[in-house]
Structure formats: C-alpha cells, structure tokens
Amino acid sequence: SILVTTQKYNMLPTAIRSNVTLLISFLLNDLDWDLIYTQIVREEWKNFKNILKLVFDKENNFLIYRVDKNKFFKNFNTLPLN
C-alpha cells in the first residue's frame, strides 16, 4: 500500500489516479470532482452530486470513498446508496 497526499487531485500523475482504491477528501473544486467522477466513481452522476451535497453540509466534513466496494462515507459513517 502507498499513501499519497495532494492538494490538487488533477496534479497527480495518471498512473497514480488510475490505481486509487481509497479516496479521502475534504471539499474540492468542481474540476477535481469531475475528474474523480470520470476516473474512479462507479455511481450515477446525479447520485454522486447528491452524495457530495450530503457530505459537505458542514465545514471540515470529509468524504471517504472505497472504490473497490463502491462505498461512500461521511466522515466515518457509511452512507446508504439508493
């Protein structure tokens, strides 16, 4: 396992982005969310946007996304998917 930290997701090399298995993120800009969605998220765009709204309803909340299981967490709490 390798832990990588960055302030801009789009600045990571493609080889790293394409092998992400777990993403932990605070609120990002729209460009980064679009890139994350197109490259790793296995959920409908509308659902993903709703998840982001739900997670980032308060300052300092963060999103955890388990790519291998397509599971989302608000902070450490599992979010049910429809």
Side-chain angles (χ1 to χ4, degrees), residues 25-26 28-37 48 52 56:
S25 179
F26 289 94
L28 300 172
N29 63 53
D30 288 341
L31 176 66
D32 284 331
W33 286 127
D34 290 344
L35 193 56
I36 288 168
Y37 176 77
F48 181 61
L52 294 179
F56 297 112

Side-chain angles (χ1 to χ4, degrees), residues 4 8 14 24 35 46 53 59 67-68 70 80-82:
V4 177
K8 292 193 124 314
T14 304
I24 302 172
L35 193 56
K46 183 178 176 182
K53 286 180 191 176
E59 193 174 353
V67 178
D68 58 333
N70 198 40
L81 295 178
N82 295 338

